[in-house]
Amino acid sequence: MTKVAVSKWGNSSAIRLPKAVLDALNVKAGEEINLSVVGSVVTLTANRSPKIPSLEWIVAEMKRLGPENEPETVDWGPDVGSERFYDHE
């Protein structure tokens, strides 16, 4: 357990989080964290929203893992309507 002092900050109060706490939460100064209070227990958790991988990241990861991880090409048959795509003119 680490003891920290409650300090005045404008019309509010604040506590400083020691580096060890920030390291344990894997957060840096300026990042948001979640704070919850149940009775007299305060809990801090990292505010980690899942990242949606970009197409560039997916392709780079596929190349990094090797050709055996490349998805197979699927032949959907000939173009039949407005879905036709022209990649060159």
Side-chain angles (χ1 to χ4, degrees):
M1 179 180 338
T2 302
K3 290 186 180 182
V4 295
V6 178
S7 303
K8 188 76 171 147
W9 190 355
N11 291 329
S12 300
S13 297
I15 59 170
R16 288 186 182 196
L17 299 177
K19 183 178 182 319
V21 172
L22 295 177
D23 290 346
L25 291 172
N26 194 25
V27 296
K28 295 181 179 100
E31 292 182 349
E32 291 185 353
I33 58 174
N34 299 315
L35 181 140
S36 61
V37 180
V38 178
S40 62
V41 176
V42 176
T43 304
L44 302 175
T45 54
N47 187 18
R48 300 279 181 242
S49 56
K51 292 184 179 179
I52 298 172
S54 66
L55 178 59
E56 291 79 15
W57 181 87
I58 294 170
V59 171
E61 189 68 5
M62 180 184 68
K63 288 180 180 178
R64 183 187 71 81
L65 293 172
E68 65 275 8
N69 293 292
E70 187 175 329
E72 66 180 75
T73 303
V74 176
D75 182 8
W76 294 97
D79 296 329
V80 294
S82 62
E83 75 277 8
R84 188 169 186 159
F85 177 76
Y86 297 95
D87 58 355
H88 62 280
E89 293 186 36

